[in-house]
Amino acid sequence: MINCPKCNASLQGDVLDTRRLTACPACGVVMQATVFPAMFREPQPLASRETLVLNGEASCFYHPKKKAVVPCAACGRFVCALCDVELDDQHLCPSCLEKGKRKRKFKNLEDHRTLYDSIALSLAIVPMLFIFPTIITAPMVIFIVFRYWKAPTSILPRNKIRFVLAFMIAGLQITGWTFSIFL
Amino acid sequence: MTGNPERYKRLSGKKKRFLGFGYDQLWLGSDHLLLLDSKYYEEDYKRFYFKDIQSLLVRKTDFGKIQNIFLGLIGGFFILIAVATDGGASIFFWVMSGLFFFVLLINTLRGPTCETILQTAVQTEKLLPLDRINNAQKTIIFLRPLIKKFQGILEVEAPKVDTSG
């Protein structure tokens, strides 16, 4: 079901999947709706509950009364249909999924990254406006560069230039302060 | 357990936020779209898998026209001040008005503004980077065969939806 984004009227077939702008029949807003087969896909039925058969069949590690359908690819525990999580063509149990997400083993589950290189570069540049804070921030920048050099940055294409620039700027600041204090 | 690292291709420019702190951008993965929400020191990602995308809606908005009216008014105001003054101040205000009209020209050339909405079974998400009709339509033309590859070919005529009641 597609509704007009302005008036929420349900859109009819002759407005859907056009390759040009058309007007909503209800409110007249100019729009283009592109529809894909997933719109008309029937929802898949939920996995049925399987009870444990009392003749030695394996049970789910997390639900002892449910029949196991697949072993976890990571830890080998048997899991039922409800516990089974399919990811990257592997079947995982909830525990291994959570552990893998925490350890960043599943790239497709990552939804957040901290950009330490941008932090280092900003910390190197911004205090220069006020000059004196650089005596404190320059060593901090050097620490951040070394501490987080190998830490994962963005999942998008990105090089280390920000770290390099931050290191060079902080190095110059420290050199400048050293000369000004001791000379 | 780890898969091959995903390689992303840029699909849109950066849509900067109001006051310029942070931006949104759209990237293309092997089997999904990635919506980047960057705050310069950290990034958040949302993935929309092609097999789950039900529709892409582009709705024309008047935001571009409002921007043009605003820019035109400010430019006109500076012209009035430039005419009323002389010397260096007049030149300054002529330059300022020229800048505003230049931005107005760029805004006009970029085409009408729009709102692009991606719909799946469980969410409706605005794709902020696709804020111009030209770009939105080009992107949809590019994505259409990719999404169809993951979902199958769409029927020529979509079923009519009853709007009664």
PDB file of all heavy atoms in Angstrom, chain B residues 16-48:
ATOM      1  N   LYS B  16      24.032  18.989   3.554  1.00  0.00           N
ATOM      2  CA  LYS B  16      24.427  19.567   4.833  1.00  0.00           C
ATOM      3  C   LYS B  16      23.189  19.938   5.636  1.00  0.00           C
ATOM      4  O   LYS B  16      22.144  20.296   5.092  1.00  0.00           O
ATOM      5  CB  LYS B  16      25.299  20.793   4.604  1.00  0.00           C
ATOM      6  CG  LYS B  16      26.690  20.456   4.105  1.00  0.00           C
ATOM      7  CD  LYS B  16      27.592  21.645   4.136  1.00  0.00           C
ATOM      8  CE  LYS B  16      29.031  21.281   3.876  1.00  0.00           C
ATOM      9  NZ  LYS B  16      29.282  20.578   2.629  1.00  0.00           N
ATOM     10  N   ARG B  17      23.369  19.868   6.952  1.00  0.00           N
ATOM     11  CA  ARG B  17      22.253  20.204   7.827  1.00  0.00           C
ATOM     12  C   ARG B  17      22.224  21.702   8.057  1.00  0.00           C
ATOM     13  O   ARG B  17      23.159  22.414   7.726  1.00  0.00           O
ATOM     14  CB  ARG B  17      22.398  19.495   9.167  1.00  0.00           C
ATOM     15  CG  ARG B  17      22.459  18.034   8.984  1.00  0.00           C
ATOM     16  CD  ARG B  17      21.678  17.273   9.979  1.00  0.00           C
ATOM     17  NE  ARG B  17      22.009  15.893   9.743  1.00  0.00           N
ATOM     18  CZ  ARG B  17      23.122  15.333  10.220  1.00  0.00           C
ATOM     19  NH1 ARG B  17      23.903  16.017  11.012  1.00  0.00           N
ATOM     20  NH2 ARG B  17      23.423  14.106   9.900  1.00  0.00           N
ATOM     21  N   PHE B  18      21.153  22.139   8.631  1.00  0.00           N
ATOM     22  CA  PHE B  18      21.005  23.540   8.980  1.00  0.00           C
ATOM     23  C   PHE B  18      22.126  23.930   9.934  1.00  0.00           C
ATOM     24  O   PHE B  18      22.457  23.188  10.833  1.00  0.00           O
ATOM     25  CB  PHE B  18      19.639  23.769   9.635  1.00  0.00           C
ATOM     26  CG  PHE B  18      19.360  25.216   9.935  1.00  0.00           C
ATOM     27  CD1 PHE B  18      19.255  26.127   8.906  1.00  0.00           C
ATOM     28  CD2 PHE B  18      19.217  25.666  11.233  1.00  0.00           C
ATOM     29  CE1 PHE B  18      18.997  27.462   9.156  1.00  0.00           C
ATOM     30  CE2 PHE B  18      18.961  26.998  11.493  1.00  0.00           C
ATOM     31  CZ  PHE B  18      18.853  27.892  10.458  1.00  0.00           C
ATOM     32  N   LEU B  19      22.746  25.032   9.697  1.00  0.00           N
ATOM     33  CA  LEU B  19      23.907  25.538  10.434  1.00  0.00           C
ATOM     34  C   LEU B  19      25.159  24.722  10.122  1.00  0.00           C
ATOM     35  O   LEU B  19      26.209  24.969  10.684  1.00  0.00           O
ATOM     36  CB  LEU B  19      23.675  25.571  11.959  1.00  0.00           C
ATOM     37  CG  LEU B  19      22.548  26.476  12.440  1.00  0.00           C
ATOM     38  CD1 LEU B  19      22.430  26.447  13.952  1.00  0.00           C
ATOM     39  CD2 LEU B  19      22.806  27.915  11.989  1.00  0.00           C
ATOM     40  N   GLY B  20      25.019  23.758   9.229  1.00  0.00           N
ATOM     41  CA  GLY B  20      26.199  23.116   8.661  1.00  0.00           C
ATOM     42  C   GLY B  20      26.918  22.109   9.503  1.00  0.00           C
ATOM     43  O   GLY B  20      27.983  21.650   9.113  1.00  0.00           O
ATOM     44  N   PHE B  21      26.376  21.716  10.670  1.00  0.00           N
ATOM     45  CA  PHE B  21      27.115  20.751  11.470  1.00  0.00           C
ATOM     46  C   PHE B  21      26.619  19.357  11.167  1.00  0.00           C
ATOM     47  O   PHE B  21      25.614  18.905  11.688  1.00  0.00           O
ATOM     48  CB  PHE B  21      26.970  21.050  12.966  1.00  0.00           C
ATOM     49  CG  PHE B  21      27.969  20.299  13.791  1.00  0.00           C
ATOM     50  CD1 PHE B  21      29.287  20.712  13.838  1.00  0.00           C
ATOM     51  CD2 PHE B  21      27.601  19.164  14.486  1.00  0.00           C
ATOM     52  CE1 PHE B  21      30.223  20.004  14.573  1.00  0.00           C
ATOM     53  CE2 PHE B  21      28.535  18.457  15.232  1.00  0.00           C
ATOM     54  CZ  PHE B  21      29.842  18.876  15.269  1.00  0.00           C
ATOM     55  N   GLY B  22      27.368  18.682  10.317  1.00  0.00           N
ATOM     56  CA  GLY B  22      26.965  17.341   9.945  1.00  0.00           C
ATOM     57  C   GLY B  22      26.288  17.334   8.589  1.00  0.00           C
ATOM     58  O   GLY B  22      25.877  18.372   8.060  1.00  0.00           O
ATOM     59  N   TYR B  23      26.215  16.143   8.017  1.00  0.00           N
ATOM     60  CA  TYR B  23      25.587  16.022   6.706  1.00  0.00           C
ATOM     61  C   TYR B  23      25.075  14.595   6.524  1.00  0.00           C
ATOM     62  O   TYR B  23      25.436  13.679   7.260  1.00  0.00           O
ATOM     63  CB  TYR B  23      26.588  16.371   5.591  1.00  0.00           C
ATOM     64  CG  TYR B  23      27.809  15.469   5.534  1.00  0.00           C
ATOM     65  CD1 TYR B  23      27.808  14.304   4.775  1.00  0.00           C
ATOM     66  CD2 TYR B  23      28.961  15.790   6.251  1.00  0.00           C
ATOM     67  CE1 TYR B  23      28.918  13.478   4.734  1.00  0.00           C
ATOM     68  CE2 TYR B  23      30.075  14.971   6.204  1.00  0.00           C
ATOM     69  CZ  TYR B  23      30.053  13.828   5.440  1.00  0.00           C
ATOM     70  OH  TYR B  23      31.156  13.008   5.406  1.00  0.00           O
ATOM     71  N   ASP B  24      24.218  14.440   5.518  1.00  0.00           N
ATOM     72  CA  ASP B  24      23.726  13.125   5.119  1.00  0.00           C
ATOM     73  C   ASP B  24      24.223  12.821   3.713  1.00  0.00           C
ATOM     74  O   ASP B  24      24.385  13.719   2.898  1.00  0.00           O
ATOM     75  CB  ASP B  24      22.190  13.099   5.131  1.00  0.00           C
ATOM     76  CG  ASP B  24      21.626  13.241   6.526  1.00  0.00           C
ATOM     77  OD1 ASP B  24      21.777  12.283   7.302  1.00  0.00           O
ATOM     78  OD2 ASP B  24      21.069  14.290   6.838  1.00  0.00           O
ATOM     79  N   GLN B  25      24.435  11.545   3.463  1.00  0.00           N
ATOM     80  CA  GLN B  25      24.914  11.149   2.139  1.00  0.00           C
ATOM     81  C   GLN B  25      24.453   9.732   1.854  1.00  0.00           C
ATOM     82  O   GLN B  25      24.293   8.917   2.765  1.00  0.00           O
ATOM     83  CB  GLN B  25      26.445  11.224   2.094  1.00  0.00           C
ATOM     84  CG  GLN B  25      27.039  11.229   0.698  1.00  0.00           C
ATOM     85  CD  GLN B  25      28.529  11.517   0.708  1.00  0.00           C
ATOM     86  OE1 GLN B  25      29.218  11.178   1.668  1.00  0.00           O
ATOM     87  NE2 GLN B  25      29.029  12.133  -0.344  1.00  0.00           N
ATOM     88  N   LEU B  26      24.254   9.451   0.564  1.00  0.00           N
ATOM     89  CA  LEU B  26      23.770   8.127   0.161  1.00  0.00           C
ATOM     90  C   LEU B  26      24.887   7.373  -0.556  1.00  0.00           C
ATOM     91  O   LEU B  26      25.563   7.928  -1.428  1.00  0.00           O
ATOM     92  CB  LEU B  26      22.579   8.301  -0.787  1.00  0.00           C
ATOM     93  CG  LEU B  26      21.583   7.159  -0.923  1.00  0.00           C
ATOM     94  CD1 LEU B  26      20.978   6.802   0.419  1.00  0.00           C
ATOM     95  CD2 LEU B  26      20.497   7.546  -1.909  1.00  0.00           C
ATOM     96  N   TRP B  27      25.080   6.108  -0.157  1.00  0.00           N
ATOM     97  CA  TRP B  27      26.132   5.274  -0.753  1.00  0.00           C
ATOM     98  C   TRP B  27      25.510   3.965  -1.235  1.00  0.00           C
ATOM     99  O   TRP B  27      24.487   3.509  -0.712  1.00  0.00           O
ATOM    100  CB  TRP B  27      27.233   4.971   0.265  1.00  0.00           C
ATOM    101  CG  TRP B  27      28.064   6.164   0.605  1.00  0.00           C
ATOM    102  CD1 TRP B  27      27.707   7.190   1.434  1.00  0.00           C
ATOM    103  CD2 TRP B  27      29.382   6.473   0.151  1.00  0.00           C
ATOM    104  NE1 TRP B  27      28.713   8.116   1.522  1.00  0.00           N
ATOM    105  CE2 TRP B  27      29.770   7.700   0.744  1.00  0.00           C
ATOM    106  CE3 TRP B  27      30.294   5.838  -0.690  1.00  0.00           C
ATOM    107  CZ2 TRP B  27      31.003   8.291   0.515  1.00  0.00           C
ATOM    108  CZ3 TRP B  27      31.532   6.431  -0.914  1.00  0.00           C
ATOM    109  CH2 TRP B  27      31.875   7.645  -0.308  1.00  0.00           C
ATOM    110  N   LEU B  28      26.165   3.370  -2.218  1.00  0.00           N
ATOM    111  CA  LEU B  28      25.666   2.134  -2.820  1.00  0.00           C
ATOM    112  C   LEU B  28      26.551   0.968  -2.411  1.00  0.00           C
ATOM    113  O   LEU B  28      27.762   0.998  -2.643  1.00  0.00           O
ATOM    114  CB  LEU B  28      25.665   2.279  -4.344  1.00  0.00           C
ATOM    115  CG  LEU B  28      25.207   1.065  -5.142  1.00  0.00           C
ATOM    116  CD1 LEU B  28      23.717   0.871  -4.968  1.00  0.00           C
ATOM    117  CD2 LEU B  28      25.547   1.229  -6.624  1.00  0.00           C
ATOM    118  N   GLY B  29      25.935  -0.052  -1.793  1.00  0.00           N
ATOM    119  CA  GLY B  29      26.657  -1.272  -1.455  1.00  0.00           C
ATOM    120  C   GLY B  29      26.332  -2.359  -2.462  1.00  0.00           C
ATOM    121  O   GLY B  29      25.614  -2.139  -3.431  1.00  0.00           O
ATOM    122  N   SER B  30      26.832  -3.564  -2.211  1.00  0.00           N
ATOM    123  CA  SER B  30      26.640  -4.651  -3.174  1.00  0.00           C
ATOM    124  C   SER B  30      25.178  -5.095  -3.232  1.00  0.00           C
ATOM    125  O   SER B  30      24.681  -5.463  -4.286  1.00  0.00           O
ATOM    126  CB  SER B  30      27.519  -5.845  -2.807  1.00  0.00           C
ATOM    127  OG  SER B  30      27.219  -6.259  -1.489  1.00  0.00           O
ATOM    128  N   ASP B  31      24.491  -5.036  -2.083  1.00  0.00           N
ATOM    129  CA  ASP B  31      23.100  -5.469  -2.072  1.00  0.00           C
ATOM    130  C   ASP B  31      22.213  -4.554  -1.250  1.00  0.00           C
ATOM    131  O   ASP B  31      21.101  -4.935  -0.870  1.00  0.00           O
ATOM    132  CB  ASP B  31      22.983  -6.907  -1.539  1.00  0.00           C
ATOM    133  CG  ASP B  31      23.459  -7.016  -0.098  1.00  0.00           C
ATOM    134  OD1 ASP B  31      24.055  -6.050   0.411  1.00  0.00           O
ATOM    135  OD2 ASP B  31      23.220  -8.073   0.516  1.00  0.00           O
ATOM    136  N   HIS B  32      22.714  -3.361  -0.980  1.00  0.00           N
ATOM    137  CA  HIS B  32      21.909  -2.440  -0.173  1.00  0.00           C
ATOM    138  C   HIS B  32      22.321  -0.993  -0.413  1.00  0.00           C
ATOM    139  O   HIS B  32      23.382  -0.723  -1.007  1.00  0.00           O
ATOM    140  CB  HIS B  32      22.059  -2.781   1.327  1.00  0.00           C
ATOM    141  CG  HIS B  32      23.455  -2.634   1.843  1.00  0.00           C
ATOM    142  ND1 HIS B  32      24.401  -3.628   1.755  1.00  0.00           N
ATOM    143  CD2 HIS B  32      24.072  -1.596   2.475  1.00  0.00           C
ATOM    144  CE1 HIS B  32      25.519  -3.216   2.304  1.00  0.00           C
ATOM    145  NE2 HIS B  32      25.359  -1.991   2.748  1.00  0.00           N
ATOM    146  N   LEU B  33      21.442  -0.110   0.036  1.00  0.00           N
ATOM    147  CA  LEU B  33      21.766   1.314   0.072  1.00  0.00           C
ATOM    148  C   LEU B  33      22.223   1.653   1.477  1.00  0.00           C
ATOM    149  O   LEU B  33      21.692   1.113   2.444  1.00  0.00           O
ATOM    150  CB  LEU B  33      20.525   2.156  -0.237  1.00  0.00           C
ATOM    151  CG  LEU B  33      20.056   2.249  -1.682  1.00  0.00           C
ATOM    152  CD1 LEU B  33      18.768   3.052  -1.746  1.00  0.00           C
ATOM    153  CD2 LEU B  33      21.112   2.880  -2.564  1.00  0.00           C
ATOM    154  N   LEU B  34      23.183   2.532   1.578  1.00  0.00           N
ATOM    155  CA  LEU B  34      23.662   2.972   2.889  1.00  0.00           C
ATOM    156  C   LEU B  34      23.394   4.459   3.019  1.00  0.00           C
ATOM    157  O   LEU B  34      23.857   5.253   2.207  1.00  0.00           O
ATOM    158  CB  LEU B  34      25.161   2.697   3.025  1.00  0.00           C
ATOM    159  CG  LEU B  34      25.733   3.037   4.387  1.00  0.00           C
ATOM    160  CD1 LEU B  34      25.530   1.876   5.344  1.00  0.00           C
ATOM    161  CD2 LEU B  34      27.213   3.368   4.303  1.00  0.00           C
ATOM    162  N   LEU B  35      22.628   4.805   4.053  1.00  0.00           N
ATOM    163  CA  LEU B  35      22.369   6.213   4.324  1.00  0.00           C
ATOM    164  C   LEU B  35      23.288   6.644   5.454  1.00  0.00           C
ATOM    165  O   LEU B  35      23.203   6.142   6.569  1.00  0.00           O
ATOM    166  CB  LEU B  35      20.894   6.413   4.720  1.00  0.00           C
ATOM    167  CG  LEU B  35      20.454   7.856   4.984  1.00  0.00           C
ATOM    168  CD1 LEU B  35      20.620   8.707   3.737  1.00  0.00           C
ATOM    169  CD2 LEU B  35      19.008   7.889   5.458  1.00  0.00           C
ATOM    170  N   LEU B  36      24.174   7.551   5.139  1.00  0.00           N
ATOM    171  CA  LEU B  36      25.169   8.016   6.102  1.00  0.00           C
ATOM    172  C   LEU B  36      24.665   9.265   6.806  1.00  0.00           C
ATOM    173  O   LEU B  36      24.215  10.212   6.165  1.00  0.00           O
ATOM    174  CB  LEU B  36      26.487   8.324   5.377  1.00  0.00           C
ATOM    175  CG  LEU B  36      27.535   9.123   6.155  1.00  0.00           C
ATOM    176  CD1 LEU B  36      28.086   8.303   7.290  1.00  0.00           C
ATOM    177  CD2 LEU B  36      28.643   9.583   5.226  1.00  0.00           C
ATOM    178  N   ASP B  37      24.748   9.249   8.131  1.00  0.00           N
ATOM    179  CA  ASP B  37      24.415  10.414   8.941  1.00  0.00           C
ATOM    180  C   ASP B  37      25.707  10.806   9.653  1.00  0.00           C
ATOM    181  O   ASP B  37      26.096  10.162  10.620  1.00  0.00           O
ATOM    182  CB  ASP B  37      23.314  10.042   9.941  1.00  0.00           C
ATOM    183  CG  ASP B  37      23.023  11.165  10.924  1.00  0.00           C
ATOM    184  OD1 ASP B  37      23.604  12.256  10.800  1.00  0.00           O
ATOM    185  OD2 ASP B  37      22.198  10.939  11.832  1.00  0.00           O
ATOM    186  N   SER B  38      26.395  11.805   9.133  1.00  0.00           N
ATOM    187  CA  SER B  38      27.698  12.176   9.676  1.00  0.00           C
ATOM    188  C   SER B  38      27.593  13.416  10.541  1.00  0.00           C
ATOM    189  O   SER B  38      26.931  14.391  10.165  1.00  0.00           O
ATOM    190  CB  SER B  38      28.684  12.436   8.533  1.00  0.00           C
ATOM    191  OG  SER B  38      29.899  12.931   9.044  1.00  0.00           O
ATOM    192  N   LYS B  39      28.244  13.342  11.696  1.00  0.00           N
ATOM    193  CA  LYS B  39      28.340  14.515  12.566  1.00  0.00           C
ATOM    194  C   LYS B  39      29.798  14.927  12.682  1.00  0.00           C
ATOM    195  O   LYS B  39      30.218  15.476  13.694  1.00  0.00           O
ATOM    196  CB  LYS B  39      27.758  14.183  13.943  1.00  0.00           C
ATOM    197  CG  LYS B  39      26.300  13.793  13.889  1.00  0.00           C
ATOM    198  CD  LYS B  39      25.818  13.333  15.241  1.00  0.00           C
ATOM    199  CE  LYS B  39      24.420  12.755  15.160  1.00  0.00           C
ATOM    200  NZ  LYS B  39      24.293  11.538  14.353  1.00  0.00           N
ATOM    201  N   TYR B  40      30.575  14.624  11.693  1.00  0.00           N
ATOM    202  CA  TYR B  40      31.998  14.931  11.555  1.00  0.00           C
ATOM    203  C   TYR B  40      32.903  14.141  12.498  1.00  0.00           C
ATOM    204  O   TYR B  40      33.964  13.708  12.095  1.00  0.00           O
ATOM    205  CB  TYR B  40      32.290  16.423  11.698  1.00  0.00           C
ATOM    206  CG  TYR B  40      31.735  17.228  10.552  1.00  0.00           C
ATOM    207  CD1 TYR B  40      30.756  18.199  10.764  1.00  0.00           C
ATOM    208  CD2 TYR B  40      32.164  17.000   9.254  1.00  0.00           C
ATOM    209  CE1 TYR B  40      30.234  18.908   9.703  1.00  0.00           C
ATOM    210  CE2 TYR B  40      31.625  17.705   8.184  1.00  0.00           C
ATOM    211  CZ  TYR B  40      30.664  18.664   8.423  1.00  0.00           C
ATOM    212  OH  TYR B  40      30.136  19.360   7.373  1.00  0.00           O
ATOM    213  N   TYR B  41      32.514  13.932  13.736  1.00  0.00           N
ATOM    214  CA  TYR B  41      33.329  13.145  14.653  1.00  0.00           C
ATOM    215  C   TYR B  41      32.796  11.728  14.817  1.00  0.00           C
ATOM    216  O   TYR B  41      33.458  10.875  15.406  1.00  0.00           O
ATOM    217  CB  TYR B  41      33.371  13.804  16.043  1.00  0.00           C
ATOM    218  CG  TYR B  41      33.861  15.220  15.991  1.00  0.00           C
ATOM    219  CD1 TYR B  41      33.168  16.239  16.632  1.00  0.00           C
ATOM    220  CD2 TYR B  41      34.995  15.555  15.286  1.00  0.00           C
ATOM    221  CE1 TYR B  41      33.608  17.544  16.564  1.00  0.00           C
ATOM    222  CE2 TYR B  41      35.442  16.862  15.209  1.00  0.00           C
ATOM    223  CZ  TYR B  41      34.741  17.845  15.851  1.00  0.00           C
ATOM    224  OH  TYR B  41      35.169  19.134  15.781  1.00  0.00           O
ATOM    225  N   GLU B  42      31.609  11.486  14.333  1.00  0.00           N
ATOM    226  CA  GLU B  42      31.042  10.151  14.392  1.00  0.00           C
ATOM    227  C   GLU B  42      30.060   9.991  13.234  1.00  0.00           C
ATOM    228  O   GLU B  42      29.559  10.977  12.689  1.00  0.00           O
ATOM    229  CB  GLU B  42      30.347   9.898  15.733  1.00  0.00           C
ATOM    230  CG  GLU B  42      29.257  10.889  16.066  1.00  0.00           C
ATOM    231  CD  GLU B  42      28.653  10.638  17.428  1.00  0.00           C
ATOM    232  OE1 GLU B  42      29.237   9.860  18.216  1.00  0.00           O
ATOM    233  OE2 GLU B  42      27.600  11.216  17.720  1.00  0.00           O
ATOM    234  N   GLU B  43      29.837   8.750  12.901  1.00  0.00           N
ATOM    235  CA  GLU B  43      28.938   8.450  11.794  1.00  0.00           C
ATOM    236  C   GLU B  43      27.940   7.383  12.218  1.00  0.00           C
ATOM    237  O   GLU B  43      28.289   6.444  12.931  1.00  0.00           O
ATOM    238  CB  GLU B  43      29.733   7.931  10.584  1.00  0.00           C
ATOM    239  CG  GLU B  43      30.590   8.978   9.914  1.00  0.00           C
ATOM    240  CD  GLU B  43      31.361   8.428   8.730  1.00  0.00           C
ATOM    241  OE1 GLU B  43      31.478   7.195   8.612  1.00  0.00           O
ATOM    242  OE2 GLU B  43      31.841   9.235   7.916  1.00  0.00           O
ATOM    243  N   ASP B  44      26.716   7.543  11.756  1.00  0.00           N
ATOM    244  CA  ASP B  44      25.688   6.527  11.945  1.00  0.00           C
ATOM    245  C   ASP B  44      25.239   6.046  10.572  1.00  0.00           C
ATOM    246  O   ASP B  44      25.196   6.826   9.620  1.00  0.00           O
ATOM    247  CB  ASP B  44      24.480   7.103  12.711  1.00  0.00           C
ATOM    248  CG  ASP B  44      24.829   7.426  14.148  1.00  0.00           C
ATOM    249  OD1 ASP B  44      25.267   6.494  14.850  1.00  0.00           O
ATOM    250  OD2 ASP B  44      24.683   8.588  14.558  1.00  0.00           O
ATOM    251  N   TYR B  45      24.940   4.764  10.498  1.00  0.00           N
ATOM    252  CA  TYR B  45      24.599   4.177   9.205  1.00  0.00           C
ATOM    253  C   TYR B  45      23.234   3.496   9.266  1.00  0.00           C
ATOM    254  O   TYR B  45      22.885   2.868  10.264  1.00  0.00           O
ATOM    255  CB  TYR B  45      25.644   3.121   8.807  1.00  0.00           C
ATOM    256  CG  TYR B  45      27.072   3.567   8.977  1.00  0.00           C
ATOM    257  CD1 TYR B  45      27.870   3.029   9.982  1.00  0.00           C
ATOM    258  CD2 TYR B  45      27.631   4.532   8.149  1.00  0.00           C
ATOM    259  CE1 TYR B  45      29.175   3.435  10.161  1.00  0.00           C
ATOM    260  CE2 TYR B  45      28.952   4.944   8.322  1.00  0.00           C
ATOM    261  CZ  TYR B  45      29.714   4.391   9.319  1.00  0.00           C
ATOM    262  OH  TYR B  45      31.004   4.793   9.496  1.00  0.00           O
ATOM    263  N   LYS B  46      22.516   3.640   8.177  1.00  0.00           N
ATOM    264  CA  LYS B  46      21.273   2.875   8.026  1.00  0.00           C
ATOM    265  C   LYS B  46      21.362   2.149   6.694  1.00  0.00           C
ATOM    266  O   LYS B  46      21.695   2.746   5.677  1.00  0.00           O
ATOM    267  CB  LYS B  46      20.062   3.818   8.000  1.00  0.00           C
ATOM    268  CG  LYS B  46      19.626   4.296   9.352  1.00  0.00           C
ATOM    269  CD  LYS B  46      18.346   5.103   9.256  1.00  0.00           C
ATOM    270  CE  LYS B  46      18.021   5.692  10.603  1.00  0.00           C
ATOM    271  NZ  LYS B  46      16.863   6.588  10.545  1.00  0.00           N
ATOM    272  N   ARG B  47      21.018   0.855   6.719  1.00  0.00           N
ATOM    273  CA  ARG B  47      21.094   0.044   5.494  1.00  0.00           C
ATOM    274  C   ARG B  47      19.695  -0.309   5.025  1.00  0.00           C
ATOM    275  O   ARG B  47      18.821  -0.656   5.827  1.00  0.00           O
ATOM    276  CB  ARG B  47      21.893  -1.230   5.757  1.00  0.00           C
ATOM    277  CG  ARG B  47      23.361  -0.972   6.011  1.00  0.00           C
ATOM    278  CD  ARG B  47      24.099  -2.251   6.364  1.00  0.00           C
ATOM    279  NE  ARG B  47      25.509  -1.987   6.637  1.00  0.00           N
ATOM    280  CZ  ARG B  47      25.992  -1.553   7.784  1.00  0.00           C
ATOM    281  NH1 ARG B  47      25.164  -1.328   8.792  1.00  0.00           N
ATOM    282  NH2 ARG B  47      27.281  -1.324   7.940  1.00  0.00           N
ATOM    283  N   PHE B  48      19.493  -0.205   3.741  1.00  0.00           N
ATOM    284  CA  PHE B  48      18.217  -0.603   3.134  1.00  0.00           C
ATOM    285  C   PHE B  48      18.536  -1.625   2.052  1.00  0.00           C
ATOM    286  O   PHE B  48      19.066  -1.281   1.000  1.00  0.00           O
ATOM    287  CB  PHE B  48      17.505   0.615   2.524  1.00  0.00           C
ATOM    288  CG  PHE B  48      17.304   1.734   3.505  1.00  0.00           C
ATOM    289  CD1 PHE B  48      18.164   2.810   3.527  1.00  0.00           C
ATOM    290  CD2 PHE B  48      16.266   1.693   4.418  1.00  0.00           C
ATOM    291  CE1 PHE B  48      17.992   3.840   4.440  1.00  0.00           C
ATOM    292  CE2 PHE B  48      16.088   2.720   5.335  1.00  0.00           C
ATOM    293  CZ  PHE B  48      16.952   3.788   5.349  1.00  0.00           C
TER     294      PHE B  48
END
